[in-house]
Amino acid sequence: MVAPVPAAAHRRKLRFGVNGEFKILQVADMHFANGATTRCQNVLPSQKAHCSDLNTTIFMSRVIAAEKPDLIVFTGDNIFGFDVKDAVKSLNAAFAPAIASKIPWVAILGNHDQESTFTRQEVMNHIVKLPNTLSQVNPPEAAHYIDGFGNYNLQIHGAADSKLQNKSVLNLYFLDSGDYSSVPYMEGYDWIKTSQQFWFDRTSKRLQREYKEKPNPQEGIAPGLAYFHIPLPEFWSFDSKNATKGVRQEGTSAASTNSGFFTTLVARGDVKSVFVGHDHVNDFCGNLKGLNLCYGGGFGYHAYGKAGWARRARVVVVDLNKKRKGKWGDVKSIKTWKRLDDKHLSVVDSQVLWKSSANKLVVR
């Protein structure tokens, strides 16, 4: 049986702040293992002696304090199962700074989370029971048919005291991109299956219908963001030259087959950006057919990286339009930047991912 979602998770409604902003911190590839005894990978010789999983923990605490996000999203390989002695201890320690912050957080699985004492389902079952998380094992309406563990969506409501306070103006989708292919003669990484795309398509259509319904029917569409671990093959479209910001320093370790999720996303049109991890020393965003494809960049110190190239986190800020009488309206823009784990938590690669057109076309 799939574990039920804690009641507390349902009660916590996410909404834009009084400043008309909603901020998301993406933490990609912590690769947490056993804490102080787990050594760092690919750091400078001067860093090696005193570097451990605790550096990952400290970086997270610092970046949470600096950015004060409204939501923290962990995009898989949260623990590096192969080196983990006790999955419960490692998971609890990996998420500890997020839990301590009292900020709502969610997690999805990568390809390494299940390689210790827990299966993928057990890992997700444990995550959903942790404090302050809004993670779900799977959506109740699709639990009987959907592949994977950790497919769900969150609705971000308009600002309090605005006409849209009870309407989702931003939709977040989280998907399990699996671990490794189980199909004979198709080696390599897993992919987002047809059942998951079917759930996404249905959910997206329902949310857009609700957006246009009374009370306060809206024109156009409520934008969305999608988070998962393994990049789509379309990430191969970009290098350091044609990406809008950021760098490519390794290949894209996508599945060997293209399951068509990029096409599904473009066809629906509400998701404006996809955020993944998996390839730690890629941190670019590129725009293909109006959809931004963004890497988070490697966060964890027990994950492979590049010595001298700082571990990093991606921040996304969504801003609302200011309406008459100073009230907040629908989504105006989606911006992103990265924070580096250096002395000053440097902000790099600030960019606008999407802007709503001033004169919206009414689809009749």
Side-chain angles (χ1 to χ4, degrees):
M1 278 294 290
V2 172
V5 179
H10 286 306
R11 286 197 298 270
R12 197 159 186 178
K13 193 181 261 192
L14 295 175
R15 67 169 66 257
F16 279 77
V18 290
N19 59 351
E21 183 181 287
F22 192 85
K23 184 186 281 188
I24 303 167
L25 172 66
Q26 179 191 2
V27 175
D29 299 84
M30 285 190 289
H31 278 236
F32 204 92
N34 306 303
T37 57
T38 298
R39 308 319 300 164
C40 297
Q41 306 268 359
N42 307 117
V43 291
L44 295 169
S46 58
Q47 297 173 292
K48 223 167 186 123
H50 306 289
C51 193
S52 73
D53 270 343
L54 302 187
N55 290 62
T56 304
T57 302
I58 293 161
F59 177 29
M60 201 192 308
S61 298
R62 287 176 74 213
V63 80
I64 289 170
E67 288 288 0
K68 299 179 180 61
D70 299 294
L71 179 70
I72 304 164
V73 178
F74 295 93
T75 52
D77 285 2
N78 308 298
I79 60 171
F80 186 64
F82 190 74
D83 291 338
V84 165
K85 295 188 178 111
D86 179 334
V88 168
K89 265 190 187 164
S90 292
L91 286 163
N92 294 355
F95 298 124
I99 293 168
S101 75
K102 306 274 200 296
I103 292 166
W105 63 275
V106 292
I108 46 179
L109 302 183
N111 51 292
H112 289 304
D113 294 281
Q114 77 293 339
E115 290 172 344
S116 67
T117 52
F118 272 6
T119 63
R120 292 178 78 74
Q121 184 170 354
E122 287 169 334
V123 172
M124 214 59 220
N125 284 349
H126 181 72
I127 286 171
V128 300
K129 293 181 189 129
L130 292 171
N132 311 321
T133 193
L134 298 175
S135 308
Q136 292 177 44
V137 176
N138 270 327
E141 76 279 5
H144 60 292
Y145 71 76
I146 202 163
D147 283 283
F149 303 98
N151 302 286
Y152 51 101
N153 66 292
L154 288 178
Q155 301 181 31
I156 316 301
H157 291 77
D161 298 330
S162 75
K163 281 187 174 175
L164 298 177
Q165 64 178 348
N166 294 316
K167 217 177 251 292
S168 179
V169 297
L170 174 71
N171 295 305
L172 308 181
Y173 302 95
F174 306 94
L175 295 110
D176 179 10
S177 54
D179 49 15
Y180 304 97
S181 168
S182 56
V183 178
Y185 310 111
M186 285 179 67
E187 293 182 353
Y189 291 108
D190 217 339
W191 55 86
I192 292 171
K193 309 291 195 306
T194 307
S195 64
Q196 296 167 285
Q197 297 183 49
F198 178 74
W199 166 77
F200 162 77
D201 190 68
R202 281 183 82 164
T203 306
S204 168
K205 283 174 178 162
R206 174 176 58 80
L207 292 167
Q208 295 315 322
R209 208 166 47 243
E210 289 170 5
Y211 190 63
K212 291 174 176 171
E213 281 171 358
K214 291 178 179 176
N216 303 308
Q218 297 298 299
E219 293 173 7
I221 58 171
L225 306 173
Y227 288 88
F228 44 93
H229 181 70
I230 297 173
L232 303 170
E234 284 78 6
F235 273 76
W236 272 114
S237 308
F238 303 103
D239 54 32
S240 299
K241 291 191 182 73
N242 68 358
T244 46
K245 292 273 184 184
V247 294
R248 175 187 285 286
Q249 301 178 109
E250 63 175 313
T252 287
S253 297
S256 60
T257 184
N258 192 325
S259 73
F261 191 41
F262 176 83
T263 306
T264 301
L265 289 164
V266 171
R268 278 301 309 134
D270 61 331
V271 169
K272 305 304 175 191
S273 194
V274 159
F275 301 97
V276 301
H278 195 52
D279 302 321
H280 309 168
V281 296
N282 292 339
D283 74 341
F284 62 78
C285 283
N287 189 295
L288 186 63
K289 296 189 177 174
L291 179 61
N292 293 285
L293 303 178
C294 296
Y295 277 109
F299 188 98
Y301 279 88
H302 186 50
Y304 76 82
K306 187 176 173 186
W309 193 71
R311 264 50 175 197
R312 56 204 58 214
R314 183 172 287 283
V315 178
V316 171
V317 171
V318 184
D319 284 301
L320 297 177
N321 277 305
K322 200 85 179 250
K323 296 293 185 190
R324 286 190 292 275
K325 298 183 184 168
K327 294 279 188 188
W328 294 111
D330 57 354
V331 171
K332 173 178 141 189
S333 66
I334 302 168
K335 300 183 200 121
T336 187
W337 57 83
K338 285 164 298 205
R339 285 275 191 168
L340 307 186
D341 191 17
D342 58 16
K343 191 177 168 188
H344 303 291
L345 283 176
S346 302
V347 174
V348 298
D349 293 341
S350 211
Q351 65 182 115
V352 175
L353 293 174
W354 181 80
K355 272 199 292 213
S356 67
S357 50
N359 304 309
K360 286 189 182 139
L361 292 170
V362 181
V363 181
R364 302 223 178 265

